[in-house]
Amino acid sequence: MSLNADSADMAFTFKGGMLPMTVMELSSADPELIRRQLAGKLSQSPAFFQHTPVVLSVEKLDEPHLALERICAVCRDHKLLPVAVRGGAEPVRQSAWALGLGWFAPVEEGRARILESVSRMIEPEVVADEPEAQEGASVTTRLFRGTVRSGQQVNAAEGDLVVIGAVNAGAEVLAAGSIHVYGALRGRALAGIHGNTHAGIYCRELEAELLSVAGNYKRLEDIDSQLLGRAVEIHFIKEQLEIKPLT
Amino acid sequence: MAKIIVVTSGKGGVGKTTSAAAISTGLALRGKKTVVIDFDVGLRNLDLIMGCERRVVYDLVNVIQGEAGLNQALIRDKRVENLFILPASQTRDKDALTKEGVEQILEQLKEDFDFILCDSPAGIERGAQLAMYFADEAIVVTNPEVSSVRDSDRILGLLGSKTRRAEQSLEPVKEHLLITRYNPFRVTSGDMLTLDDIREILAIDLLGLIPESEAVLRASNQGVPVTHDASSDAGQAYTDTVSRLLGEEMPLRFHEVQRKGLLSRMFGGSRR
């Protein structure tokens, strides 16, 4: 079942989207300290505190248990609306869910860890370095052989997309996970369409009209011309799309 | 059993009708019984290029709607034996074509002919889709120019999905690339895409390369398919193309800048 199925009679449609979101990066878990500093900020810029939705990032905190409920209460007192928590250990995740908040995986640094987290999200039981387990991962991977031509759209709604061939100008390839093009990428490539920021795009020859990871996009015009025609990988790192040559 | 070949491109003005006329003439000259059908209902041109516009009585739409028999509508070519033309209607539009009607005509023609060429209208709408729907093979006409290449790419996508062969999961339509209006001088100077660029993007077999030539314009204005002009570069290139279509190996010509000989430089011999 495609998520993009005909929506004429449907009460709703799911759409991937990137909304501007304030991340409140906590460097202390002390609710009182947070309260005092928030009060100071509120007096400086009251316009900001208008029931602004925030994601509480606890990645820098090394504590397995947090007084999440109290921290949220402090935020709400200052007209900030926590909607989700990012990072933290299992107990943090459980208490976020108990409070009706969403939970995001931490943004990790370094490629190896990113790949690890991607495989965790797609196929939880995958164990790295085990060939059999990797076979299992291909259940959600879509393989397309041949040229994706102008006007065609190839969508891997659940996992990764692998194209053995070129993606021509005017064509579009989409994937919930990563996109691999073993040929020239001349069309549009949108990875992580349901918001997976760890998805990547890989191609043998970059000429893409548009590159997007989880809604963060670059147009051909925005791409450094030195990278055009080269084999590259594209990831969402530090809040922007990073294009690196594959060496 | 006849082979149905659609001549198509997506983009207009790239030389579909010229190529359909030239290739069908070439096939007939090789002794193959050939009919060429104009699918461009409303913008009928093939009869002009073939020089039979004064002999059109009935047309494709008349046959589909049962107003005339197929044999009444077929026009016999005056120059070559074995060549027939089924003209389009100029007064109707493409909605007058039906899939069932086209199928019936093609089934009937298959009995008598070796080759049925369908000259597609430009675009990707009904007329173009019906022209390609029953095809066994497709000749995709492309100019060395980015918009033409992109439209050809689009057409190739449709050939792989919107044809009877695709819908019934039969052996896919055999796709051939025909590059027209190729000017090696302008390719060298960077004004035009190179042969290799086009082949790389479209990734299908090259059937032929027709050089940009004064002979083509002259031929279409005179209503004599350029294949008859055996001394011209374009005429020879179409003859080569027909040979390849019949499965013969032919070396590629006219794709490189020719050094002018001393005589032609002295007398300014122009390319014919």
Side-chain angles (χ1 to χ4, degrees):
Chain A
M1 269 290 285
S2 164
L3 283 173
N4 299 324
D6 193 3
S7 56
D9 314 317
M10 294 174 77
F12 54 82
T13 50
F14 282 112
K15 289 188 171 170
M18 286 297 290
L19 303 170
M21 181 67 77
T22 307
V23 175
M24 189 170 165
E25 184 106 43
L26 298 182
S27 38
S28 160
D30 179 2
E32 282 316 306
L33 187 60
I34 296 170
R35 180 188 295 280
R36 281 199 296 279
Q37 295 188 358
L38 268 181
K41 296 266 185 205
L42 181 58
S43 57
Q44 281 170 22
S45 48
F48 178 72
F49 297 89
Q50 299 285 340
H51 299 292
T52 310
V54 292
V55 173
L56 297 174
S57 170
V58 298
E59 288 161 86
K60 292 197 173 162
L61 302 180
D62 211 2
E63 293 167 49
H65 294 274
L66 293 172
L68 208 51
E69 199 172 354
R70 283 181 65 199
I71 296 172
C72 287
V74 168
C75 289
R76 288 196 198 97
D77 288 344
H78 292 84
K79 290 194 177 173
L80 291 181
L81 212 57
V83 293
V85 175
R86 188 166 77 184
E90 186 58 29
V92 174
R93 172 149 65 151
Q94 292 301 338
S95 54
W97 286 343
L99 288 168
L101 301 177
W103 185 83
F104 289 114
V107 175
E108 288 164 284
E109 285 168 32
R111 259 183 54 67
R113 293 179 69 194
I114 287 176
L115 284 180
E116 209 176 277
S117 68
V118 169
S119 58
R120 260 209 309 277
M121 289 174 78
I122 292 166
E123 192 68 57
E125 58 268 49
V126 163
V127 182
D129 305 326
E130 228 181 77
E132 275 188 321
Q134 282 178 2
E135 293 260 342
S138 70
V139 172
T140 53
T141 298
R142 179 161 178 203
L143 177 67
F144 183 96
R145 248 175 230 283
T147 308
V148 187
R149 301 197 178 272
S150 181
Q152 290 182 327
Q153 193 185 57
V154 179
N155 189 358
E158 288 173 37
D160 291 1
L161 175 66
V162 177
V163 178
I164 314 277
V167 176
N168 274 352
E172 194 167 68
V173 286
L174 309 107
S178 297
I179 297 174
H180 308 255
V181 180
Y182 294 93
L185 173 55
R186 306 186 183 99
R188 299 155 68 94
L190 293 88
I193 48 173
H194 304 319
N196 179 3
T197 51
H198 299 309
I201 303 172
Y202 310 82
C203 68
R204 291 264 293 270
E205 193 182 321
L206 178 70
E207 301 285 351
E209 290 171 344
L210 185 89
L211 296 166
S212 165
V213 175
N216 302 279
Y217 66 86
K218 271 194 176 176
R219 300 165 301 170
L220 182 53
E221 202 179 85
D222 310 323
I223 299 171
D224 180 1
S225 59
Q226 300 217 317
L227 291 163
L228 296 180
R230 301 184 64 175
V232 297
E233 57 179 311
I234 296 115
H235 294 279
F236 185 61
I237 294 174
K238 291 182 187 151
E239 306 300 312
Q240 57 178 343
L241 280 197
E242 190 180 286
I243 308 177
K244 271 198 316 197
L246 280 170
T247 43
Chain B
M1 198 63 160
K3 229 180 229 177
I4 303 176
I5 303 178
V6 60
V7 181
T8 185
S9 70
K11 193 168 160 57
V14 296
K16 277 182 301 296
T17 302
T18 300
S19 296
I23 292 170
S24 55
T25 299
L27 286 167
L29 285 169
R30 294 286 301 267
K32 305 291 178 191
K33 195 167 180 193
T34 304
V35 57
V36 53
I37 307 174
D38 190 350
F39 273 82
D40 204 349
V41 176
L43 291 170
R44 179 181 107 188
N45 275 174
L46 181 69
D47 52 327
L48 287 171
I49 308 283
M50 299 288 292
C52 64
E53 73 278 10
R54 296 178 188 190
R55 292 190 286 142
V56 174
V57 183
Y58 296 109
D59 56 52
L60 179 63
V61 173
N62 293 139
V63 180
I64 284 181
Q65 300 190 337
E67 296 154 7
L70 189 52
N71 288 327
Q72 289 175 285
L74 284 176
I75 302 172
R76 182 189 290 270
D77 189 79
K78 274 186 173 169
R79 296 180 192 86
V80 209
E81 246 187 297
N82 298 322
L83 181 57
F84 291 82
I85 298 113
L86 183 55
S89 170
Q90 180 72 349
T91 53
R92 312 295 272 272
D93 63 33
K94 290 168 180 76
D95 293 336
L97 296 177
T98 62
K99 196 179 270 184
E100 297 70 30
V102 171
E103 183 175 19
Q104 247 176 24
I105 289 179
L106 291 174
E107 286 303 319
Q108 228 179 315
L109 290 171
K110 267 182 162 182
E111 308 281 315
D112 287 338
F113 287 89
D114 299 317
F115 285 95
I116 302 171
L117 265 77
C118 302
D119 179 22
S120 172
I124 53 173
E125 282 76 40
R126 187 180 179 79
Q129 292 202 7
L130 276 175
M132 71 167 68
Y133 187 77
F134 298 99
D136 302 309
E137 300 190 13
I139 296 175
V140 178
V141 183
T142 305
N143 287 171
E145 181 222 343
V146 281
S147 60
S148 173
V149 171
R150 180 178 293 193
D151 290 358
S152 294
D153 194 42
R154 182 88 168 89
I155 282 290
L156 285 165
L158 295 177
L159 284 166
S161 60
K162 294 279 171 72
T163 52
R164 181 166 65 175
R165 283 178 173 269
E167 284 177 5
Q168 299 182 358
S169 304
L170 306 170
E171 196 185 322
V173 175
K174 196 170 171 192
E175 300 154 341
H176 306 280
L177 175 62
L178 179 65
I179 300 174
T180 54
R181 299 218 168 134
Y182 197 79
N183 184 334
F185 292 92
R186 300 190 64 189
V187 169
T188 312
S189 66
D191 293 347
M192 279 186 176
L193 290 179
T194 69
L195 176 61
D196 289 340
D197 288 341
I198 303 170
R199 291 175 86 169
E200 197 202 313
I201 293 172
L202 296 180
I204 57 172
D205 287 338
L206 182 68
L207 179 71
L209 180 139
I210 314 299
E212 190 170 50
S213 167
E214 289 159 23
V216 172
L217 182 64
R218 190 168 61 228
S220 55
N221 282 330
Q222 290 175 350
V224 183
V226 73
T227 325
H228 286 296
D229 188 354
S231 61
S232 69
D233 48 2
Q236 292 170 16
Y238 273 116
T239 304
D240 288 359
T241 300
V242 168
S243 300
R244 290 190 200 101
L245 196 58
L246 293 172
E248 295 162 22
E249 289 276 332
M250 300 294 290
L252 198 61
R253 294 195 275 174
F254 312 112
H255 61 296
E256 281 166 341
V257 176
Q258 301 290 320
R259 283 268 171 83
K260 279 191 177 177
L262 180 65
L263 281 176
S264 61
R265 258 189 289 174
M266 280 172 68
F267 300 109
S270 65
R271 290 173 308 120
R272 285 191 290 177

